[in-house]
Amino acid sequence: MADDPYLWLEDITGEDALEWARAHNDATLAELGGERFEELRAEVLEVLDTDARIPYVGRRGDYLYNFWRDEANPRGLWRRTTLDSYRTDDPVWEVLIDVDELARAEDENWVWSSPEVIEPEHTLALISLSRGGADATVVREFDMRTKQFVEGGFELPEAKSSVSWEDEDTVLVCTDFGEGSMTESGYPRIAKRWRRGEPLENAETVFEAEPTDVRVIAGVDRTPGFEHTRLGRYTDFYNRIRYELRDGELILIDVPTDATTATHREWMLISLRTDWQVGDVTYTAGSLLATKFDDFLSGARDLTVVYEPDEHSCLSGASWTKDKLVLVTRRDVASHIEIVTPGSWERVDAPGIPPSDETVVVDTDPFGDEVFYDTSGFTTPSRLLHGTAGGALEQLKSAPSFFDADGINVAQYFATSADGTAIPYFVVGQRAEPSPTWLYGYGGFQNSLTPSYAGGLGRAWLTRGGTYVMANIRGGGEYGPRWHTQAMRENRHLVYEDFAAVAADLVRRGITTVEQLGASGGSNGGLLMGVMLTQYPELFGALVCSVPLLDMKRYHLLLAGASWMAEYGDPDNPADWVFMSKYSPYQNVSSDRRYPPILITTSTRDDRVHPGHARKMTAALEAAGHRVYYYENIEGGHGGAADNKQAAFKAALTYEFLWRMLGG
């Protein structure tokens, strides 16, 4: 579209664009609203708000901390308790921050973002709060002893900031310092040392990234005896140049720029995205290596392979306790937990973990040997386990069953993609005969989709006779970095061929029919839905596309879009646009093909993926004569919802749309 007739819809808060969005919201609710919609919303909200949920915690010093939302506290409570109290059925919680009360007192629509707590003292925190759920936040210093914000303390205005404690009176801060201080991707490019009582404009610059970089890196590890200050720059989404700051000197950490590193006490772990040759040895992509950090900085390359993947397995995560390393690995998506002893690097299976579809590490204590695990499955509610790494475990909490799982089966199948690759997917449902089926996918940024319990899905979809499918397509990380890297940029088509192969396989197996098959995805998964609509419309009966990228010709010019060019390509480069133009949904809308009905949702407050993508695609589809529904939440940021009520509304809209379109 050389002359884009819908460019005006990129005006995020322009009255014409907002009036357009409100009119579409009204039209969508007029058709999808009704008794069943309200029932679905109530069912989902009951799951989200119930006090029977597990209050997941993380240790900081003597306390376990939790952030909690429910019907009485829709914006949430930041609170803490002791382990002894947490073990009881009714823990005594000490509230530090009541976000609802704070929002009322300040007449602001605050949404909780995160706390940056000083370690190991746990006395002060830098609290990030956003307006309406945006990525941009304000930052305020909070005293965890007095439970009050610090008057005259560290405070930052709204920006996409990051902060890290150097000591109780000094922070490293990356924020919007004014003209020239942000990258083309909209993130900070300058790191400064800011001392208590000093005006922000007088803070000392310690490192600068380039304007063309994604963002600057600045972080501090305050572990006594093993203090580190890390500076650097993300040159693109996957590559970074890192330095250790010692006595005012920057020392290059000479690892592959696309590797991930983590230091713990005397050790450094290196996780490889691509093969790395060191001397005569080649370490394969997906491997986890360990070395003594100081020795490595001095030039030694004494590397130990802690984990090496194979064709069916990969590393999913690594978490430290004080004296142990906890590994989560996967084999054909199924999780497995191992405990590693540093030095010998001996790996043993973690004892005491019951069989389940999925086990994850909720939290570890880097100053002790405590670990929390969560185990669950598509039809098995979560159980929270607690103990020491490699020691005995106890079940601290269990979540209730939110739906009757009798007769609901879980099975894993493999579809064959166009290039012959086997693509795993899970099918959850009763499946006595072809039924309304909801296929979900993402396929990007090495994000893995894994089995988990979803009470709302069970109540609103599975027990009503629907089938749910989760596709583990390339672009994700279910088989490690190579599952992702082989589907980047010019090979992006593999993502879409994989998803289409799963859709066709569901029909071939008799699990569903084309008319009964719906699919959904958000963000990068929203792009996936846009491609399914414009390239594979004959495979689906309905699609749901949330907070999506869709105009790939202009995505890099909108908000954080430039940071994703390593994933998709640069549309201003003619060679890149050749392959991008073939799938970019907005540029490929056709009035000559039959499209399934589609629901497109976004948020006005999404400052990561511009709502203009969703708005413009909706307008183009309407102009081409297609059936499209649209809803734009004023709040919610990239998550699409700012509280549980909004999340339940958004979910119910999807459920009702799919039920109606798929004949449920």
Side-chain angles (χ1 to χ4, degrees), residues 339-660:
I339 307 298
V340 183
T341 300
S344 69
W345 304 108
E346 179 185 5
R347 290 161 43 196
V348 297
D349 291 347
I353 297 177
S356 64
D357 293 338
E358 175 77 346
T359 301
V360 298
V361 177
V362 175
D363 187 59
T364 56
D365 181 6
F367 302 102
D369 270 334
E370 185 178 49
V371 61
F372 293 85
Y373 299 109
D374 182 81
T375 70
S376 67
F378 286 114
T379 59
T380 307
S382 287
R383 290 167 290 178
L384 183 64
L385 309 177
H386 170 263
T388 58
L393 300 176
E394 62 173 322
Q395 180 173 301
L396 284 182
K397 304 286 180 184
S398 61
S401 296
F402 289 107
F403 62 94
D404 184 358
D406 286 348
I408 296 177
N409 302 305
V410 179
Q412 186 183 45
Y413 298 102
F414 291 81
T416 302
S417 194
D419 67 350
T421 301
I423 309 300
Y425 64 93
F426 290 93
V427 178
V428 187
Q430 301 175 35
R431 305 196 308 280
E433 57 186 19
S435 60
T437 296
W438 177 359
L439 170 60
Y440 180 75
Y442 186 78
F445 297 94
Q446 205 177 321
N447 291 337
S448 301
L449 300 183
T450 58
S452 63
Y453 188 78
L457 175 71
R459 279 194 174 188
W461 189 258
L462 297 177
T463 59
R464 293 172 181 258
T467 296
Y468 177 73
V469 180
M470 186 179 73
N472 301 115
I473 58 179
R474 281 174 287 186
E478 289 87 345
Y479 288 100
R482 286 176 173 165
W483 199 242
H484 170 235
T485 56
Q486 65 181 288
M488 295 170 63
R489 290 176 45 83
E490 64 270 17
N491 294 319
R492 197 81 198 164
H493 61 93
L494 297 176
V495 175
Y496 311 128
E497 290 171 1
D498 289 358
F499 198 76
V502 173
D505 203 52
L506 289 167
V507 174
R508 184 184 65 81
R509 292 180 187 273
I511 293 169
T512 191
T513 65
V514 169
E515 294 75 19
Q516 293 175 300
L517 178 58
S520 77
S523 190
N524 171 76
L527 172 59
L528 173 64
M529 293 303 104
V531 176
M532 292 302 107
L533 182 77
T534 54
Q535 304 294 322
Y536 300 92
E538 69 283 353
L539 296 180
F540 301 96
L543 297 168
V544 179
C545 177
S546 303
V547 290
L549 290 90
L550 293 166
D551 180 359
M552 300 307 290
K553 184 64 176 174
R554 287 180 50 77
Y555 85 96
H556 63 312
L557 305 176
L558 303 174
L559 299 176
S563 65
W564 308 319
M565 287 196 288
E567 180 83 4
Y568 301 119
D570 179 358
D572 287 341
N573 181 331
D576 286 6
W577 183 241
V578 167
F579 59 80
M580 296 176 71
S581 64
K582 294 177 181 177
Y583 71 79
S584 180
Y586 184 59
Q587 278 72 33
N588 282 284
V589 171
S590 170
S591 59
D592 298 327
R593 300 185 71 180
R594 178 189 173 278
Y595 291 169
I598 186 170
L599 169 65
I600 299 177
T601 67
T602 189
S603 165
T604 312
R605 289 293 294 166
D606 189 346
D607 56 351
R608 192 182 312 174
V609 176
H610 199 293
H613 286 277
R615 294 171 177 176
K616 290 164 59 178
M617 186 70 173
T618 298
L621 289 170
E622 289 176 332
H626 298 294
R627 189 178 179 188
V628 55
Y629 299 77
Y630 179 88
Y631 193 86
E632 179 173 326
N633 187 20
I634 192 69
E635 297 181 335
H638 192 53
D643 56 34
N644 287 346
K645 285 186 177 179
Q646 292 180 17
F649 179 95
K650 177 186 170 186
L653 201 65
T654 295
Y655 291 131
E656 177 61 14
F657 173 77
L658 289 176
W659 279 127
R660 290 201 185 195

Side-chain angles (χ1 to χ4, degrees), residues 6-47:
Y6 308 115
L7 201 60
W8 61 277
L9 288 170
E10 291 182 9
D11 188 348
I12 294 178
T13 58
E15 188 54 40
D16 288 345
L18 289 178
E19 183 178 352
W20 178 94
R22 285 191 289 265
H24 280 76
N25 287 358
D26 291 343
T28 294
L29 288 181
E31 183 159 347
L32 298 181
E35 183 176 345
R36 183 168 59 179
F37 171 78
E38 294 302 331
E39 289 177 357
L40 292 167
R41 178 163 59 168
E43 288 179 349
V44 175
L45 186 59
E46 183 179 348
V47 172

Side-chain angles (χ1 to χ4, degrees), residues 53-234:
R53 288 172 292 142
I54 296 176
Y56 291 102
V57 292
R59 179 172 292 282
R60 292 186 174 97
D62 295 332
Y63 293 98
L64 303 179
Y65 287 77
N66 163 262
F67 185 74
W68 181 260
R69 289 189 177 113
D70 58 22
E71 184 176 6
N73 307 279
R75 298 290 168 174
L77 304 171
W78 190 40
R79 59 188 190 171
R80 65 189 179 190
T81 190
T82 64
L83 177 59
D84 286 342
S85 181
Y86 188 70
R87 280 193 171 102
T88 68
D89 292 335
D90 189 19
V92 177
W93 293 99
E94 178 187 7
V95 175
L96 282 77
I97 298 177
D98 182 331
V99 181
D100 295 272
E101 181 57 37
L102 182 67
R104 283 190 291 269
E106 299 183 351
D107 193 26
E108 285 279 9
N109 183 20
W110 291 131
V111 174
W112 180 261
S113 180
S114 64
E116 173 68 18
V117 177
I118 190 168
E119 300 277 4
E121 297 86 352
H122 310 104
T123 53
L124 298 170
L126 296 164
I127 305 297
S128 295
L129 299 163
S130 79
R131 293 181 172 92
D135 285 355
T137 63
V138 300
V139 179
R140 296 181 186 173
E141 185 180 2
F142 184 81
D143 193 317
M144 297 166 69
R145 298 157 295 190
T146 64
K147 296 183 284 188
Q148 298 289 326
F149 286 101
V150 178
E151 186 174 351
F154 293 112
E155 187 168 339
L156 294 173
E158 187 173 60
K160 293 183 178 181
S161 306
S162 66
V163 286
S164 186
W165 292 99
E166 277 199 325
D167 57 47
E168 291 190 345
D169 294 313
T170 315
V171 297
L172 289 183
V173 57
C174 310
T175 191
D176 186 348
F177 296 107
E179 185 177 355
S181 69
M182 305 294 279
T183 68
E184 294 175 3
S185 297
Y187 293 98
R189 72 169 195 86
I190 300 174
K192 296 191 178 189
R193 180 176 289 112
W194 188 21
R195 297 176 174 85
R196 187 175 299 282
E198 177 183 53
L200 181 61
E201 56 269 23
N202 292 346
E204 170 196 2
T205 297
V206 294
F207 191 80
E208 294 189 35
E210 297 297 324
T212 53
D213 290 340
V214 172
R215 63 181 176 90
V216 72
I217 305 167
V220 181
D221 181 348
R222 302 189 72 248
T223 302
F226 301 95
E227 294 85 353
H228 298 288
T229 297
R230 187 69 49 81
L231 299 168
R233 38 190 280 252
Y234 271 87

